[in-house]
Amino acid sequence: MSTVNSTVGVHESVTDKQATWKEYLAISKTGIVMSNLITAFAGLYLASHYTGTTLATDPLTALLAMLGTAFIIAGASVLNNYIDRDIDHLMERTKERPTVNGQLSGRQTLTYGLVLAILGTLFLSMTTLTAAVIGFSGLLIYVVLYSMWTKRTTTLNTIVGSFSGAVPPLIGWAAIDPGLHPIAWTLFLIMFMWQPPHFLALAMKRADEYRAAGIPMLPVVAGFAVTKRQIIWYVAALIPVSLLVADFGIIYTVSAVLLGGGWLVLGLSGLRAKDDVKWARQMFVYSLNYLTVLFVLMIVVHMI
């Protein structure tokens, strides 16, 4: 613990540097932002479709919703970086973050994260109050309940984080229809069920790093065998959940079954896998493709 504290202390004692936009962009986690914007846009587009409106008639609302969502997610990511400064240097994938190597001070990081979060909430409030409340709630869950509390105390951190990770399509829908049609909640549920197998696969890939940082991820606490079974159960449960919107049509339904079935087959192959880390890497990549294809498909089938 003394090593951790001294590392942070050195960085905090240095006068704030003139950081470039690259450092700020790096801690904004643009990859995560972009993938979540796909699901947010799906909620936005589907809400316009089912309320009998078009995004072209009110492009400002669409723009504010997307900007607000992007800023909220980026702000949450930055604040997560701020909170994790004391452990990031212990993990290979995070040890070069600007918040770790001294390119950004804690004060700069905190200020930037708060500004993004406030702007994001403001933009969303200019669409509907419901969208702003959902976005801000997701931010609080991720920063307070996940980053500050459960991430360091329990294997349930993945479930807690899943609540915040599932809100983008809700935000998009609420920006058009604050009443939140059951379809909106189905999109939320699909995202919620997708998160655990996605992040547990990542945790398996990085198990040694999480162990070194003292983070109680499931593969660190319970081992790979238990984690693999958990992943498989979540993927199996996701298939029927994705079919709750089978009314989207035959193209969507068949595609959802094939996508989910392929993921499940890959998951089951892990029970006999000799290289668990390689299998986890394959599951992680598949999860990203699954989410992207499924939500893009939701949009496409409503365009044809």
Side-chain angles (χ1 to χ4, degrees):
M1 183 62 72
S2 59
T3 302
V4 170
N5 290 335
S6 63
T7 301
V8 175
V10 169
H11 292 166
E12 293 304 317
S13 64
V14 177
T15 303
D16 290 356
K17 295 182 178 180
Q18 187 64 41
T20 68
W21 64 270
K22 291 183 179 180
E23 278 82 47
Y24 286 107
L25 195 62
I27 62 173
S28 302
K29 300 183 181 178
T30 53
I32 293 176
V33 172
M34 293 306 297
S35 63
N36 277 280
L37 283 182
I38 294 174
T39 66
F41 183 77
L44 188 73
Y45 183 84
L46 292 176
S48 68
H49 177 86
Y50 285 97
T51 56
T53 62
T54 63
L55 298 182
T57 60
D58 190 5
L60 181 58
T61 294
L63 178 61
L64 289 170
M66 296 303 284
L67 282 176
T69 303
F71 278 38
I72 283 277
I73 296 170
S77 299
V78 172
L79 293 174
N80 172 260
N81 279 190
Y82 173 78
I83 294 165
D84 285 349
R85 290 167 301 148
D86 63 332
I87 58 174
D88 278 346
H89 71 284
L90 299 172
M91 301 179 68
E92 189 67 28
R93 71 184 180 91
T94 58
K95 68 179 184 180
E96 294 302 325
R97 281 178 175 171
T99 47
V100 177
N101 60 27
Q103 292 175 308
L104 285 173
S105 70
R107 179 169 56 185
Q108 288 172 311
T109 304
L110 179 60
T111 301
Y112 178 52
L114 290 175
V115 168
L116 285 176
I118 292 171
L119 286 176
T121 305
L122 179 61
F123 287 152
L124 291 179
S125 68
M126 294 170 70
T127 61
T128 67
L129 180 60
T130 302
V133 170
I134 292 173
F136 189 68
S137 297
L139 175 79
L140 285 181
I141 292 172
Y142 185 75
V143 174
V144 179
L145 297 185
Y146 172 72
S147 299
M148 296 179 66
W149 180 27
T150 58
K151 181 177 180 178
R152 306 191 185 208
T153 58
T154 173
T155 58
L156 294 177
N157 54 22
T158 303
I159 304 301
V160 173
S162 295
F163 281 98
S164 59
V167 300
L170 271 187
I171 296 173
W173 191 291
I176 299 293
D177 173 26
L180 295 176
H181 188 279
I183 291 177
W185 289 107
T186 300
L187 300 183
F188 171 86
L189 187 57
I190 291 173
M191 283 288 290
F192 180 81
M193 294 300 295
W194 171 86
Q195 307 272 337
H198 170 73
F199 283 108
L200 288 176
L202 174 62
M204 284 183 65
K205 286 174 54 184
R206 304 292 185 179
D208 290 341
E209 296 180 40
Y210 282 118
R211 185 177 293 108
I215 303 300
M217 299 300 290
L218 187 63
V220 173
V221 175
F224 281 2
V226 171
T227 305
K228 287 194 287 186
R229 289 197 295 271
Q230 289 278 324
I231 290 174
I232 291 169
W233 279 115
Y234 276 112
V235 172
L238 179 58
I239 297 175
V241 169
S242 69
L243 297 179
L244 291 175
V245 285
D247 288 346
F248 284 179
I250 188 65
I251 295 177
Y252 169 81
T253 300
V254 172
S255 299
V257 170
L258 291 176
L259 282 168
W263 197 4
L264 182 58
V265 169
L266 179 59
L268 291 170
S269 72
L271 297 176
R272 295 185 178 182
K274 296 181 179 179
D275 188 337
D276 288 334
V277 174
K278 179 181 178 181
W279 173 82
R281 187 179 301 112
Q282 293 171 337
M283 289 292 285
F284 180 77
V285 172
Y286 194 105
S287 70
L288 292 173
N289 291 325
Y290 173 92
L291 186 71
T292 301
V293 172
L294 191 71
F295 274 81
V296 169
L297 190 63
M298 290 178 186
I299 299 170
V300 171
V301 296
H302 286 85
M303 290 180 171
I304 57 180

